[in-house]
Amino acid sequence: MGDLGSDSLVTLPGHNASPSLFDRSSTMEPLDNAAKDGHPGGDNEADLDFDPSAPPPFRIAEIRAAIPKHCWVKSPWRSLSYVLRDVVVVLALAGAAAYLDSWTVWPLYWAAQGTMFWAIFVLGHDCGHGSFSDSPRLNSFVGHLLHSSILVPYNGWRISHRIHHQNHGHVENDESWVPLTEKLYRSLDASSKFLRFTLPFPVFAYPLYLIYRSPGKEGSHFNPYSNLFTPSERKGVTLSTSCWTAMAAVLLCACFVFGPTRVFKIYGVPYLIFVMWLDLVTYLHHHGHENKLPWYRGKEWSYLRGGLTTVDRDYGWINNVHHDIGTHVIHHLFPQIPHYHLVEATEAAKPVLGKYYREPAKSGPFPFHLISNLISSLRQDHYVSDTGDIVFYERDNGLQGAAAKKSD
């Protein structure tokens, strides 16, 4: 299967597919004059003095040098201990909920178990980056077990996620929550816009993304002959799709044995909560900052500048549960660093990053404050210009009125 745990910087073909266009227009206006003129909006004078799209005065090697050497060391035993911890919690929660079988308990179980499914995903995510261990075989084995258990095709996802990291912040070539260009945005019908920008639909998008990818892109994470993958990767994708199918078959059999309602309560609802976590976190790590952040194309894009557009988030008590995935800037620049070193690595890198690092807003025990960031972004981050090598999100002022009419 080759190196299934690597995170090499090789651009894959087929991830820049042309969109299919429809005859649809919309009333659109820029978010503000600052964004229209190529500068981000800001909440205060100090923010306006700093241009996040300006080339940084440091190189990625300087950031790397600031990070302690031990932060790069991967301990397979430590990584496996997190797997053991999460699996024990998942089984204990499921057993307790099935035993108590009370409507007082079920909502608490769903919230907790859905969050643990998300934690399981993050550990599989580390396997995909090779930060779980130095052994590609161990990474692949553990990654398949973890991701298949929550209906994620490990290799298909791993490869598309690698594209995301290789091209972060690039308008056309990025993979995760890519901004719509104005031309593509205009081509979408009213229903597509409503589903993309109206809660709760965006936070349930992940299963559809696995099948269809994002608007303007083609390919399926399940199809080994998809243009997401090279011929050498087809065997690994076939294996992952087979593992996903086996898990789906297990769930189907469980429905016959225990009944579909019980399976839905034990597994189905937590799966939906997990999807909500995944979409919320991945979206807000690249959107929704108080000040507009740039997207790049052409000669203005670089790996460093693209990585600096990512946003750290504080999740309160959930930080430890989901393995500090909120420390996203350093993770994006150096995905080989194990999750248990990311906080320390981030603190070490801050003096080099300066204003290019945006300190996350502090969370209470639970990150309810992020809901307002999500709502705000969905209301104003609609599309970027078709031209220009540095662009910022702009707003369709007519979209909210159309959404209100559709919901009436």
Side-chain angles (χ1 to χ4, degrees), residues 114 190 216 284:
L284 287 179

Side-chain angles (χ1 to χ4, degrees), residues 60-382:
I60 197 168
E62 296 174 62
I63 309 173
R64 182 188 294 271
I67 298 173
K69 291 184 179 180
H70 68 264
C71 289
W72 303 88
V73 177
K74 310 164 192 175
S75 168
W77 292 111
R78 186 170 181 179
S79 296
L80 287 169
S81 73
Y82 286 106
V83 173
L84 178 63
R85 181 195 79 173
D86 287 1
V87 170
V88 167
V89 172
V90 166
L91 295 177
L93 287 172
Y99 176 77
L100 295 172
D101 195 12
S102 165
W103 282 106
T104 302
V105 173
W106 284 118
L108 298 175
Y109 165 76
W110 293 332
Q113 191 72 297
T115 303
M116 290 310 303
F117 279 20
W118 164 237
I120 290 287
F121 174 88
V122 175
L123 292 177
H125 156 274
D126 288 358
C127 292
H129 280 301
S131 61
F132 188 87
S133 78
D134 286 321
S135 168
R137 290 195 175 189
L138 179 62
N139 294 336
S140 180
F141 178 75
V142 175
H144 274 93
L145 285 179
L146 296 177
H147 275 192
S148 299
S149 71
I150 51 174
L151 294 177
V152 174
Y154 173 70
N155 276 324
W157 165 85
R158 177 185 63 82
I159 293 166
S160 72
H161 190 66
R162 185 180 65 193
I163 296 172
H164 167 52
H165 271 259
Q166 291 167 358
N167 299 280
H168 45 210
H170 193 290
V171 174
E172 282 83 21
N173 296 344
D174 201 344
E175 177 67 24
S176 178
W177 291 109
V178 184
L180 301 175
T181 62
E182 183 174 357
K183 180 180 180 181
L184 178 55
Y185 181 86
R186 287 182 179 273
S187 75
L188 300 178
D189 58 31
S191 295
S192 296
K193 293 175 184 176
F194 179 80
L195 292 173
R196 183 176 175 94
F197 297 106
T198 306
L199 287 174
F201 303 108
V203 294
F204 292 106
Y206 185 66
L208 293 176
Y209 164 73
L210 289 177
I211 299 172
Y212 301 110
R213 293 178 77 192
S214 301
K217 296 180 180 288
E218 298 176 350
S220 168
H221 290 76
F222 299 94
N223 181 3
Y225 292 91
S226 165
N227 57 14
L228 265 170
F229 313 121
T230 62
S232 64
E233 293 166 334
R234 290 173 183 166
K235 185 177 179 180
V237 174
T238 300
L239 171 64
S240 297
T241 300
S242 299
C243 291
W244 185 97
T245 304
M247 182 61 192
V250 168
L251 292 172
L252 182 61
C253 291
C255 288
F256 284 107
V257 175
F258 303 106
T261 301
R262 195 163 185 79
V263 172
F264 184 70
K265 289 196 291 186
I266 290 289
Y267 185 93
V269 179
Y271 172 79
L272 293 176
I273 300 296
F274 148 63
V275 169
M276 292 175 65
W277 266 114
L278 190 151
D279 282 322
L280 174 73
V281 171
T282 55
Y283 182 88
L284 287 179
H285 282 163
H286 301 276
H287 297 77
H289 192 262
E290 289 76 8
N291 299 316
K292 290 293 179 183
L293 298 178
W295 288 81
Y296 301 102
R297 54 165 69 95
K299 60 183 176 57
E300 292 291 348
W301 181 88
S302 71
Y303 182 82
L304 174 58
R305 292 176 78 181
L308 293 176
T309 67
T310 58
V311 180
D312 277 13
R313 299 289 185 183
D314 182 18
Y315 298 92
W317 289 350
I318 309 299
N319 284 330
N320 179 264
V321 175
H322 68 186
H323 309 293
D324 291 312
I325 195 64
T327 50
H328 213 63
V329 177
I330 290 302
H331 165 66
H332 250 267
L333 292 173
F334 307 109
Q336 305 86 1
I337 296 179
H339 75 263
Y340 41 83
H341 292 315
L342 282 174
V343 172
E344 182 181 359
T346 297
E347 290 300 319
K350 283 181 184 179
V352 179
L353 296 174
K355 289 187 177 182
Y356 287 88
Y357 179 79
R358 291 160 286 275
E359 197 73 41
K362 293 300 180 184
S363 174
F366 300 102
F368 295 121
H369 69 290
L370 295 178
I371 297 175
S372 62
N373 294 100
L374 176 64
I375 294 173
S376 176
S377 179
L378 291 174
R379 286 177 175 172
Q380 59 186 347
D381 296 338
H382 296 151

